[in-house]
Amino acid sequence: MTRNKTLSLSTVAAAGALLAACAVGPKAPVADLPTTGTGGFVGAATPAVSTAPARDDWWRLYDDPTLDGLIRQAFAENNQLEAAFANLRAVRASLSEARVGRFPSTTTSAQAQRSRASAATVPGLPAGDKAPEVDTYDVGVQAAYEVDLFGRVESTIRAARSDARAAEAALATVQVTVAAETTRAYADVCSANAQIAVAERTLELQRRTADLTQTLLEGGAGTGLDVAGARASLAQTAANLPTLRAARNEALFRLATLTGRTPAEADQTAAACVRAPQLSQPIPVGDGAALLARRPDVRQAEAELAAAAARVNVATANLFPQISLGGSFGSTALKSGDLGEDRNFRFSFGPLISWSFPNVLAARAQIKAAGARSDAALATFDQTVLTALQETETALSNYANELDRRAALTEARDQAARASELSRLRFNAGADSFLQVLTAERTLAGAEAALAQSDALVTTYQIALFRALAGGWQADS
């Protein structure tokens, strides 16, 4: 008899397992990609980029050992990354907790107690006597298994699994950000030092010019206007230096924070850099399809959509009864030594059906709320895809156009240098006034400053493009 009951119980459990995949509720919305966004990029026509697959370790294209070391340190010490790893561990633990729902829950118990009933409840007890005290000993084990007939457990697990994928993508997003921001901070230090060097060279030239105008004035060959103009140019250039030094220090302190250090521990090798990292080859960008597959924010939005859809199934399953199979086995005796005797063993098993009819309105409200969140997740996914394409195309456009601007500024600087040289020669020959020399030097100083700023922008736009291409993460992290 016991065997037949056990066999039928196993049959019901097997049937429940087969039906567990039959989740109730709507199917998950399809996260389609726009076909026009999966081909080549609009801005990929420039020779500064190539259609080769984008790289995760894009900073190595700069071939800068200092930068490589800073990235390694940032990946090892950055606090935002540490927090993202911790969040991922927490979400994965929640997934493990959800998976427990596939298995029976078990409880063991052991109890020893002394009790006495009320004399009024003991028939035949002589008046004035107390009920006897009774010792009771009990040991046992209980087990319960939810038959996932309507897919509530599996939908919960599917939602938790999608949450884990979203957390993995969120970690990858932080890795992308840390790699890009570390490189940008380092490049900003180098670019600021380069602009400071330009300003200091200009300052020295203008200082010599101011001294010359003063000497000419004292010798009767110059004018007070020439002296005032030379000193004004000198002061203007000197006024730019504190701003550049402040920008250099800000970038250096930012770099220290990104690599897990205090400002006092800022990397001195980076502080001494005087030239922004340079590329010696076109930037590999791939195509739109590869971009959308790489971008962790797109993968995160897709995972969040899947989680939201699974929670609609969970809410829908709450409309239906929950069926559990339970059983217990144990021994109860009046003496501890009698717990093992056959006559003291007890058992029970059977199905339990629970169905909360009065809460059907609340369940339907939960379904509507879950469905609305699923719709919002779908819209978020669509927007994330569009934003990814927009950011990449914008970065490509900014980079290409700044390269053109830098080429024009280089020509302007070269011509300004030639004009300055010629104006001095003409002044020495008595053909021009010193005012023309000052004007030519101001033009040269402005051209060199503009070129140095453009050099910095080129590197900034390169890094923005690498960031848009989602480099800096590893899929198995």
Side-chain angles (χ1 to χ4, degrees):
M1 186 66 178
T2 303
R3 172 180 289 191
N4 291 336
K5 288 184 178 180
T6 305
L7 186 59
S8 62
L9 185 64
S10 301
T11 304
V12 174
L18 289 173
L19 291 169
C22 301
V24 292
K27 292 183 178 180
V30 179
D32 290 326
L33 298 176
T35 56
T36 54
T38 57
F41 295 115
V42 175
T46 173
V49 303
S50 73
T51 57
R55 291 178 53 169
D56 289 340
D57 59 344
W58 51 266
W59 56 88
R60 297 186 187 280
L61 295 173
Y62 287 112
D63 195 22
D64 188 325
T66 299
L67 176 59
D68 292 344
L70 290 169
I71 295 291
R72 283 194 301 271
Q73 183 176 357
F75 277 180
E77 303 293 340
N78 184 269
N79 292 307
Q80 288 178 301
L81 267 179
E82 185 176 348
F85 273 114
N87 290 335
L88 176 57
R89 291 195 300 270
V91 174
R92 284 175 173 170
S94 297
L95 173 58
S96 298
E97 180 183 1
R99 283 173 172 160
V100 171
R102 288 174 171 165
F103 307 101
S105 61
T106 58
T107 304
T108 58
S109 62
Q111 177 179 289
Q113 67 176 10
R114 171 168 291 186
S115 62
R116 184 179 68 186
S118 170
T121 64
V122 180
L125 186 69
D129 288 356
K130 297 179 180 179
E133 295 182 357
V134 178
D135 291 333
T136 304
Y137 300 90
D138 182 87
V139 293
V141 59
Q142 297 85 37
Y145 171 72
E146 180 178 348
V147 180
D148 196 20
L149 195 61
F150 302 103
R152 188 187 68 83
V153 173
E154 283 302 318
S155 295
T156 301
I157 294 172
R158 192 165 64 252
R161 188 182 299 116
S162 297
D163 288 340
R165 292 204 309 271
E168 290 168 359
L171 168 61
T173 297
V174 178
Q175 289 174 312
V176 169
T177 301
V178 168
E181 289 303 308
T182 300
T183 305
R184 189 167 73 89
Y186 173 65
D188 287 349
V189 172
C190 299
S191 297
N193 281 335
Q195 293 179 67
I196 289 171
V198 169
E200 288 176 341
R201 288 197 303 270
T202 301
L203 195 64
E204 181 59 28
L205 175 63
Q206 291 175 337
R207 186 176 289 112
R208 291 199 300 267
T209 298
D211 292 342
L212 177 59
T213 57
Q214 182 65 39
T215 300
L216 291 173
L217 177 63
E218 292 171 355
T223 67
L225 179 62
D226 292 340
V227 173
R231 288 178 176 172
S233 296
L234 179 64
Q236 183 62 47
T237 301
N240 292 333
L241 277 172
T243 301
L244 293 173
R245 288 169 179 152
R248 187 263 317 278
N249 291 340
E250 184 273 336
L252 189 61
F253 299 153
R254 180 159 36 95
L255 180 62
T257 300
L258 285 162
T259 53
R261 295 179 175 179
T262 64
E265 299 172 302
D267 190 286
Q268 294 307 304
T269 303
C273 174
V274 295
R275 186 187 184 201
Q278 303 293 311
L279 289 176
S280 59
Q281 59 180 291
I283 296 177
V285 298
D287 58 19
L291 169 73
L292 297 177
R294 286 170 54 82
R295 288 271 299 213
D297 55 344
V298 174
R299 297 199 319 280
Q300 180 177 356
E302 185 177 13
E304 289 173 348
L305 173 59
R311 289 189 171 95
V312 176
N313 297 135
V314 174
T316 305
N318 288 334
L319 284 175
F320 299 90
Q322 292 186 15
I323 302 174
S324 297
L325 301 177
S328 66
F329 179 80
S331 178
T332 303
L334 299 179
K335 296 180 179 180
S336 60
D338 295 340
L339 285 174
E341 294 184 0
D342 289 343
R343 61 190 178 88
N344 291 329
F345 283 118
R346 58 175 173 78
F347 72 89
S348 66
F349 59 86
L352 172 65
I353 300 177
S354 60
W355 197 353
S356 302
F357 286 103
N359 292 333
V360 66
L361 295 179
R364 292 192 182 279
Q366 291 169 1
I367 293 172
K368 289 182 180 179
R373 285 190 285 269
S374 179
D375 292 340
L378 178 59
T380 299
F381 172 81
D382 291 339
Q383 183 62 30
T384 303
V385 168
L386 294 178
T387 300
L389 294 170
Q390 173 226 314
E391 288 178 353
T392 305
E393 292 288 8
T394 300
L396 282 166
S397 175
N398 288 342
Y399 180 43
N401 283 288
E402 191 59 37
L403 287 175
D404 292 341
R405 178 171 176 266
R406 184 175 68 174
L409 288 173
T410 301
E411 175 66 16
R413 189 276 315 273
D414 293 344
Q415 294 300 323
R418 178 166 175 76
S420 177
E421 181 183 0
L422 290 175
S423 66
R424 277 189 172 275
L425 291 175
R426 290 176 62 83
F427 171 76
N428 292 336
D432 284 336
S433 69
F434 201 74
L435 182 60
Q436 289 177 302
V437 175
L438 294 177
T439 300
E441 287 186 352
R442 288 194 195 101
T443 301
L444 176 59
E448 287 187 332
L451 180 57
Q453 291 171 357
S454 182
D455 284 337
L457 273 177
V458 165
T459 305
T460 297
Y461 288 144
Q462 285 173 355
I463 297 167
L465 178 55
F466 284 127
R467 181 172 182 171
L469 294 170
W473 66 276
Q474 300 295 329
D476 57 351
S477 294

